[in-house]
Amino acid sequence: MRETKGYLDMELLRFTTAGSVDDGKSTLIGRLLYDSKAIFEDQMELLEETSNQRGEEGVNLALLTDGLRAEREQGITIDVAYRYFATPKRKFIIADTPGHIQYTRNMVTGASTANLALLLVDARHGVIEQTKRHAFIASLLQIPHIAVCINKMDLVGHSQKAFEKIKSEFEGFASKLEIKDVHFIPISALNGDNVVDRSKNMNWYEGSTLMHLLENIHIGSDQNHVDCRFPIQYVVRPQSPEFPDYRGYAGRIEGGVFKPGDQVTVLPSGFISKIKSIDTFNGEVTEAFSPMSVCITLEDNIDISRGDMLVRENNKPTVEQDIDVMICWMNEKKMIVGGKYTVRHTSQTARCIIKEVKYKMDINSLHRNEEDREIGLNDIGRITIRTTKPLFFDSYTRNRNTGSIVLVDEATNETVAAGMII
Amino acid sequence: MSSYNLTHLKELESEAIFILREVAAQFEKPVMLFSGGKDSIIMFHLARKAFHPGKIPFPLMHVDTGHNFPETIEFRDKLMVETGETLIVKYVKDSIDKGTAVEETGINASRNGLQTVTLLEGLEEGKYDCAMGGARRDEEKARAKERFFSHRDEFGQWDPKNQRPELWNLFNGRKKMGEHFRIFPISNWTEMDVWQYILQENIELPSLYFSHKREVINRDGVLLGKCDYIALKDTEKWEERTIRCRTIGDMTCTGVAESDADTLEKIIEEVATTRFTERGGRADDKRSEAAMEDRKKEGYF
Ligand SMILES: Nc1nc2c(ncn2[C@@H]2O[C@H](COP(=O)(O)OP(=O)(O)OP(=O)(O)O)[C@@H](O)[C@H]2O)c(=O)[nH]1
Ligand SMILES: [Mg+2]
């Protein structure tokens, strides 16, 4: 099933795994690759050898993504592994993430760029706190599609009742979340039931296999093509004999569609100009949309630098210094209210102060806890920050690219939080 | 596909260009590692695209073991003349002469591991705060775990259990004095993507990648090309075969593959049907189960 013809115009689907430790995420990815014949013979030999040495029965497919020494020693996933495969229909980028609560930040890393999440649930245990945490994170990150894979069906006698019970349990919880598109699939990652091939043990299930879903789910509308946003990343000034006066603004379109001749407004200065050309190495283009990387030249010679943004006069982002954010805290050092952090947003870097914590989320009940507002490792909460200069942003729900921030600790330089602007 | 969808190759290209520009904006003195292999050549091509019509705002650096295929060096030098970009060459031999690196001995002696020493010396000497590499996550299981922006301590070491979170496309290149970053703009490309892109963009490659006749030996299932750096065992002798390289590294450890693929189209056909990974023929990865992870921890690419 590996790629051959038609490869030059295939679509890309990025998906991530989620769910509690040992629910079978890595095994599922191994199974998916194995059954779609995307594992090479030498990789397979190594897997067999390693599984043998470890005294395991058969081949442990989880070893395909659990590639670090420490992961193999402990039998768990610690950090995201990226895997790739293609079918004649699509090319896939998989992020296999850890389920252990200690490594939630790595789960968030893998999930932040995904169009779809495979949320695994152990059929014996049902929806547990970590399932809820990951479902909540997936909804916060606005992953458009979620496939709830109820796994280890072999251990519950492939029972429809067990499946239906977990399905309604999850639906009860998910009704409080913003998840647009949910699918439920009963699987056995270990034996391959309903992964690539339809299960012979669960005739009661009439939905599609996981692979069928991955190949056919509609992903065309996941980008914002409405609000024009072009953050300047880098100014190209060759100052060469061939291009003595060229001044181009390099960056990636983060929303909307830009065309030569369009009138644009520069933030923060407010100057108005017209797009002269949209350049690429292969020549000028007649339109540019998200996520294209291009270089834009303007009719007027105005002072523009990294961090500025080109937008439309009648469709501007919010320009503000006081910003409400949902935050996932990812560092052992607790968040300090009144503390100062560096904030990264589009191509901007600013400093900010944490003004207040509005509430902390109770993951189990989805209640807003307004008593305990201390935000530490793996906590999620709503906060207000004040930045040293205005940021140009949209709400995360409207545009993932212009609605996301990260906070950086100024002493250690570590990335300590992921934020979604409300 | 709707009119506002990019093909996956265009999307990967855009992602790599975005990262290259981010590097130029966030770092004071970046350098791009260049080995003369297809991944380096692609990365170089992407860098030209990213800063067009300007020049690439950083130099390239080749860590030269002295054990390269002559075709690689010829190609490298020609490419630099044609494009007018700047290449710095650092020689492993200089580190050996200085005594900071010690030549391996024995039948399987290789300078592959010594590259790390010369690389770290080169970075320190040039005061580079960031080195870009053409490594891809699909090549090897330790690489599958690495971030685009991979932080290194003052000894150049990677700590795989404690990587910084990397969210969306908000890259954090902040570091303390003496620390640096390794950055991998084509992390998300597969071998197939690389070949398809070479075809789409009509990128020139060293002749080694295409089928040709060459004298080789078969050592433990790996075919090695004839050169002065390989000492033969009594039982071994050079024989001519029709081969091509899937990856290009040192002649002492890069296995070549028997193949008739002499055009890009045929290579793509071959890559699509092969049952073996690209690095399966690299003796340097075969030294132990976690060979790559261990080398990376010490500061390898
Ligand atoms: N019986 C049965 N066992 C399974 C199934 N799927 C996974 N397992 C077993 O469950 C254990 C954990 O599997 P992993 O794939 O490592 O779990 P994980 O979700 O990746 O765990 P973390 O990454 O550490 O969160 C292994 O022993 C698997 O063999 C299944 O469908 N049936
Ligand atoms: Mg796992």
Side-chain angles (χ1 to χ4, degrees), chain A residues 25-26 65-66 76-77 96-98:
Chain A
K25 298 178 289 298
S26 302
T65 56
D66 291 341
I76 59 166
T77 306
D96 181 34
T97 70

Side-chain angles (χ1 to χ4, degrees), chain B residues 114-126:
Chain B
L114 308 187
Q115 287 181 89
T116 305
V117 176
T118 312
L119 168 67
L120 294 177
E121 286 175 356
L123 294 181
E124 199 165 323
E125 232 174 78

Side-chain angles (χ1 to χ4, degrees), chain A residues 7 41-42 69 72 91 291, chain B residues 14 193 275 277 289 294:
Chain A
Y7 193 88
E41 275 175 36
D42 51 326
R69 197 190 284 275
R72 293 178 166 207
K91 149 139 187 167
Chain B
S14 176
D193 298 328
R275 299 301 311 138
T277 59
E289 189 192 323
D294 294 343

Side-chain angles (χ1 to χ4, degrees), chain A residues 79-330:
Chain A
D79 209 334
V80 200
Y82 294 91
R83 284 278 162 191
Y84 307 83
F85 78 109
T87 68
K89 289 201 168 149
R90 272 187 185 157
K91 149 139 187 167
F92 300 94
I93 299 183
I94 311 171
D96 181 34
T97 70
H100 199 291
I101 183 161
Q102 189 187 341
Y103 305 115
T104 304
R105 59 171 167 237
N106 296 335
M107 180 269 174
V108 180
T109 290
S112 70
T113 50
N115 308 97
L116 179 146
L118 301 180
L119 180 63
L120 273 84
V121 182
D122 187 323
R124 296 168 302 172
H125 309 314
V127 176
I128 57 176
E129 173 167 345
Q130 193 64 352
T131 321
K132 293 181 183 174
R133 174 174 276 109
H134 282 185
F136 184 56
I137 291 173
S139 82
L140 272 185
L141 289 171
Q142 298 272 320
I143 298 179
H145 315 280
I146 297 200
V148 181
C149 300
I150 298 170
N151 188 31
K152 308 198 185 183
M153 288 301 291
D154 54 301
L155 297 181
V156 295
H158 301 106
S159 137
Q160 178 173 15
K161 232 165 127 193
F163 171 76
E164 296 294 344
K165 181 164 167 277
I166 293 170
K167 183 175 168 205
S168 60
E169 231 179 298
F170 187 85
E171 280 170 336
F173 176 75
S175 64
K176 292 179 246 166
L177 300 176
E178 275 180 54
I179 304 180
K180 290 181 201 142
D181 180 35
V182 192
H183 303 256
F184 295 88
I185 311 179
I187 64 166
S188 166
L190 193 68
N191 302 329
D193 292 55
N194 290 334
V195 179
V196 172
D197 303 313
R198 180 157 280 287
S199 170
K200 293 190 179 66
N201 300 310
M202 291 177 271
N203 289 330
W204 48 265
Y205 174 70
E206 287 171 348
S208 58
T209 61
L210 178 58
M211 180 61 107
H212 184 84
L213 184 76
L214 292 173
E215 281 193 310
N216 294 290
I217 203 156
H218 179 67
I219 51 172
S221 55
D222 295 349
Q223 296 274 351
N224 177 323
H225 294 307
V226 177
D227 312 309
C228 292
R229 306 285 183 259
F230 184 71
I232 313 299
Q233 215 188 339
Y234 188 85
V235 181
V236 176
R237 290 213 63 191
Q239 293 175 298
S240 60
E242 213 183 327
F243 299 96
D245 302 315
Y246 186 93
R247 182 188 268 273
Y249 305 104
R252 194 170 51 179
I253 315 279
E254 302 293 16
V257 181
F258 288 83
K259 294 190 173 91
D262 282 355
Q263 186 185 306
V264 287
T265 302
V266 184
L267 294 177
S269 68
F271 283 124
I272 292 181
S273 184
K274 248 189 197 161
I275 296 182
K276 189 164 144 196
S277 66
I278 303 177
D279 298 339
T280 72
F281 185 81
N282 303 73
E284 292 187 21
V285 294
T286 53
E287 61 178 7
F289 49 88
S290 174
M292 283 168 71
S293 287
V294 293
C295 191
I296 292 182
T297 63
L298 298 179
E299 296 284 0
D300 306 283
N301 214 338
I302 35 188
D303 178 25
I304 304 180
S305 51
R306 176 173 164 90
D308 293 359
M309 190 186 274
L310 302 187
V311 301
R312 298 295 209 110
E313 185 62 20
N314 59 4
N315 178 349
K316 288 186 189 157
T318 312
V319 181
E320 264 288 356
Q321 279 173 273
D322 294 297
I323 307 171
D324 275 354
V325 187
M326 268 312 254
I327 206 110
C328 276
W329 197 256
M330 305 192 289

